[in-house]
């Protein structure tokens, strides 16, 4: 009999694992259970769907169950795996369309249950018009509400990248005033204040009201949301999008006896294997190693989920430790109106918390030669370990930030020092950057800080 692989969760990690497993083992039987009505959803595109920039909804679904079936993968949507018995290697599944309970069995299992948005338990969070944004079905609900009620005032709660992208795209729809309320001192809390302030100034330039240091205490309304209250202030709101964070979805893993790490996500080894026999895990439900600090951490990102899915799918299909997942540098990039905003490795605060004696340098440079038409400002901060000069982190905001953050991510990955960066042979021509890349400029400033 063919070996049977079951995968729980069908977005980035689950579908990547399924496709890899099929490629490396044409014989294995693969069934994937997915609670949402679609598999293979491009969740990273959801903010842009809100502004109608993407157009057809179907563009955000990379592959349908029928396409998976043609590749010998059974993808069952609207099916929630409710219990796993790891001793008998059996699972209980609820078909959400019919409420029917099904039993299934596996030889090998991959958990790819992802993460879920946190909706704070404050009064009024159940009002109509208060939304989170995680799934395509959330975006459907937001757009349905916008079309039905034509809101004039939107409040985005939370200044992480999902909140920032939501604010931009609600504004870009036209016809809405947008405010963003953030509990901390700055938006983009994973960044140091210098970078975050550049983002805040740009949001204001683009007409988004930014309120920091404000913890929302109540959504007010009469069935529908009418306002958001914090301290003695109130903002009128006809719609609110809450992006105050996400948490790993580990209820099923936990009740099955899978070990969790300090971050609350599932602990796996370098082969994406959990502590249970024949069970792997991948994606946003899993903890990883931060290569900048060498410590465990949680990095819920789409590219990382795909890379982990590749390793878990390969190893589950071969039944061997064929591939390893080394860890991540936590590299992110997102767009805030005209700016790219990127980070890799540790912020200065994170470096200090991880026990490093860190030094940093900040520069403002240009995205093209200063005389070349279209040159725009770009901010870059580099953080390095004082004793060795090793680059621990980078943050960049402005035009061309996507390129700079990737150069820095490679440097962090390769454990390069600021001295290496000063001599990097990077490409140059006036339409693409200044004669010395902002990375080289920042490394030179860092050298004067460290070699003082
Ligand atoms: C608005 C938004 C923008 C983003 N932008 C970016 C970006 O620009 N770059 C980036 O790198 N990342 C981005 N991300 C993050 C990225 O989307 C996630 O990291 C990625 O989707 C994680 O994939 P996953 O498969 O691990 O988990 P998920 O996407 O969370 O999918 C897990 C799936 O498993 C299902 N499931 C859970 N439990 C069960 C169960 N018991 N039975 C059956 N099914 C179950 C869930 O319903 C869910 O559909 C963004 C996310 C959002 C929400």
């Amino acid at each position: 009999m063919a070996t049977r692989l079951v995968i729980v969760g069908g977005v980035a990690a689950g579908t990547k694992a399924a496709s890899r497993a099929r490629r490396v083992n044409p014989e294995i039987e693969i069934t994937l259970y997915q609670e949402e009505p679609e598999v293979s959803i491009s969740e990273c595109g959801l903010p842009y769907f809100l502004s109608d920039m993407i157009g057809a909804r179907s563009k955000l679904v990379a592959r349908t169950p029928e396409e998976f079936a043609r590749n010998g993968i059974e993808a069952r949507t609207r099916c929630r795996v409710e219990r796993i018995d790891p001793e008998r290697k059996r699972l209980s599944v609820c078909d959400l369309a019919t409420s029917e309970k099904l039993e299934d069995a596996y030889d090998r299992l991959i958990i790819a249950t992802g993460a879920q948005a946190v909706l704070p338990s404050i009064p009024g969070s159940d009002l109509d018009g208060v939304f989170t944004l995680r799934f395509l079905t959330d975006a459907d609900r937001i757009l349905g509400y916008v079309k039905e009620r034509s809101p004039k005032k939107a409040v985005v709660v939370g200044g992480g990248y999902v909140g920032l992208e939501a604010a931009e795209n609600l504004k870009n729809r036209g016809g809405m005033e947008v405010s963003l309320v953030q509990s901390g001192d700055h938006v983009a809390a994973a960044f140091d204040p210098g970078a975050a302030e550049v983002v805040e100034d740009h949001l204001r330039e683009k007409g988004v009201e930014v309120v920091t240091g404000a913890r929302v205490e109540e959504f007010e309304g009469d069935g529908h949301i009418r306002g958001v209250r914090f301290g003695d202030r109130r903002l009128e709101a006809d719609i609110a999008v809450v992006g105050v964070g996400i948490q790993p979805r580990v209820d099923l893993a936990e009740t099955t006896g899978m070990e969790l790490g300090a971050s609350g996500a599932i602990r796996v080894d370098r082969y994406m294997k959990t502590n249970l026999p024949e069970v792997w895990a991948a994606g946003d439900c899993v903890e990883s190693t931060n290569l900048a600090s060498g410590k465990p951490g949680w990095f819920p990102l789409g590219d990382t989920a795909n890379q982990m899915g590749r390793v878990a799918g390969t190893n589950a299909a071969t039944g061997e430790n064929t591939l390893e997942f080394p860890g991540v540098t936590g590299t992110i990039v997102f767009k805030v109106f005209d700016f790219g905003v990127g980070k890799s490795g540790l912020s200065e605060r994170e470096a200090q918390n991880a026990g490093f004696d860190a030094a940093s340098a900040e520069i403002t440079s240009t995205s093209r030669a200063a005389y070349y038409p279209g040159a725009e400002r770009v901010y870059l901060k580099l953080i390095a370990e004082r004793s060795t000069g090793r680059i621990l982190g980078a943050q960049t905001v402005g035009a061309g930030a996507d390129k700079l953050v990737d150069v820095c991510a490679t440097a962090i990955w390769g454990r390069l020092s600021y001295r290496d960066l000063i001599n990097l042979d990077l490409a140059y021509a006036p339409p693409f950057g200044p004669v010395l890349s902002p990375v080289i400029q920042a490394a030179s400033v860092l050298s004067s800080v460290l070699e003082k």
Side-chain angles (χ1 to χ4, degrees):
M1 262 194 13
T3 304
R4 179 162 173 71
L5 170 64
V6 172
I7 299 172
V8 188
V11 180
T15 55
K16 184 68 175 186
S19 301
R20 274 298 294 188
R22 168 55 65 239
R23 189 168 312 160
V24 299
N25 185 344
E27 307 301 326
I28 200 165
E29 234 179 70
I30 306 173
T31 295
L32 180 151
Y33 289 108
Q34 160 71 339
E35 188 177 11
E36 290 286 302
E38 278 114 348
V39 283
S40 238
I41 305 156
S42 304
E43 284 165 3
C44 309
L46 295 181
Y48 307 99
F49 185 52
L50 293 184
S51 56
D52 280 346
M53 196 180 155
I54 305 291
R57 182 184 188 281
S58 57
K59 289 188 190 168
L60 289 178
V61 180
R63 282 213 279 168
T64 60
E66 293 71 30
E67 288 169 292
F68 278 104
R70 285 200 284 279
N71 197 21
I73 297 166
E74 183 190 27
R76 302 200 52 176
T77 55
R78 303 214 59 207
C79 281
R80 184 195 298 134
V81 175
E82 294 191 323
R83 232 180 9 266
I84 298 166
D85 178 345
E87 300 208 328
R88 293 170 53 235
K89 292 192 169 169
R90 296 193 69 80
L91 342 107
S92 311
V93 183
C94 178
D95 183 331
L96 300 173
T98 60
S99 299
E100 202 187 328
K101 305 280 176 186
L102 320 165
E103 287 284 311
D104 198 354
Y106 65 87
D107 299 304
R108 298 177 195 155
L109 182 68
I110 298 177
I111 303 292
T113 47
Q116 61 200 0
V118 174
L119 185 58
S121 53
I122 54 175
S125 46
D126 56 347
L127 285 169
D128 273 354
V130 179
F131 300 97
T132 55
L133 180 60
R134 175 73 199 180
F135 300 123
L136 187 49
T137 43
D138 295 328
D140 291 338
R141 280 190 280 272
I142 295 173
L143 285 178
Y145 195 83
V146 167
K147 282 175 188 151
E148 191 192 313
R149 301 187 65 89
S150 305
K152 297 280 172 285
K153 291 186 192 259
V155 171
V156 174
V157 182
Y161 78 85
V162 171
L164 291 165
E165 289 177 348
E168 177 189 344
N169 283 283
L170 290 174
K171 185 81 188 165
N172 284 349
R173 275 193 73 82
M176 257 189 271
E177 281 175 34
V178 179
S179 305
L180 188 144
V181 180
Q182 158 79 348
S183 60
D185 291 342
H186 291 290
V187 301
F191 290 66
D192 292 318
E197 281 160 16
V198 182
V199 176
E200 285 164 12
D201 289 347
H202 189 55
L203 283 165
R204 291 187 177 113
E205 240 171 64
K206 293 289 174 179
V208 173
E209 182 187 16
V210 180
V211 185
T212 54
R215 185 169 292 279
V216 171
E217 287 152 7
E218 185 176 0
F219 295 104
E220 297 175 343
D222 49 6
H224 294 282
I225 181 168
R226 301 283 178 212
V228 173
R229 196 176 55 72
F230 42 94
D232 53 8
R233 274 198 74 183
R234 179 181 184 278
L235 285 177
E236 272 183 43
D238 309 313
I239 185 169
V241 176
V242 181
V244 295
I246 57 170
Q247 61 196 25
R249 201 150 162 207
V250 292
D251 42 343
L252 181 67
E254 216 176 355
T255 52
T256 310
M258 274 170 239
E259 233 178 82
L260 306 184
S263 66
I266 302 170
R267 178 174 286 156
V268 289
D269 65 14
R270 290 175 74 80
Y271 309 101
M272 305 309 297
K273 203 139 193 233
T274 70
N275 59 310
L276 297 181
E278 307 300 320
V279 184
W280 291 256
D284 281 7
C285 58
V286 159
E287 190 171 271
S288 177
T289 302
N290 182 339
L291 294 173
S293 67
K295 298 195 160 85
W298 186 49
F299 301 93
L301 290 166
D303 52 343
T304 302
N306 268 280
Q307 289 171 311
M308 288 177 167
R310 174 175 175 272
V311 174
T314 303
N315 294 343
T318 57
E320 289 169 14
N321 293 336
T322 310
L323 292 183
E324 287 186 37
F325 185 76
V328 296
T329 53
T331 307
I332 56 170
V333 68
F334 52 92
K335 179 175 164 304
V336 177
F337 293 98
D338 302 338
F339 284 0
V341 185
K343 175 180 181 236
S344 187
L346 307 174
S347 68
E348 197 161 2
R349 196 175 32 217
E350 288 164 345
Q352 281 152 3
N353 291 343
F356 289 102
D357 180 10
S360 68
E362 293 171 283
I363 61 149
T364 299
S365 183
T366 52
S367 60
R368 300 173 177 181
Y371 56 81
Y372 192 89
E376 301 280 353
R377 275 175 309 139
V378 63
Y379 163 97
L380 175 65
K381 175 173 183 174
L382 287 180
I383 297 125
E385 185 180 28
R386 205 175 274 278
S387 57
T388 62
R390 175 165 78 92
I391 302 298
L392 297 172
Q395 298 169 34
T396 173
V397 186
D402 53 333
K403 170 172 153 180
L404 301 185
V405 74
D406 278 345
V407 173
C408 295
T410 310
I412 297 166
W413 182 277
R415 302 180 76 82
L416 301 189
S417 77
Y418 71 87
R419 289 177 290 272
D420 297 313
L421 293 192
I422 289 173
N423 291 313
L424 269 189
D425 181 10
L426 298 173
Y428 161 67
F432 302 109
V435 64
L436 288 180
S437 157
V439 174
I440 296 174
Q441 294 176 32
S444 303
V445 178
L446 199 49
S447 78
S448 47
V449 173
L450 286 169
E451 293 166 14
K452 229 195 297 202

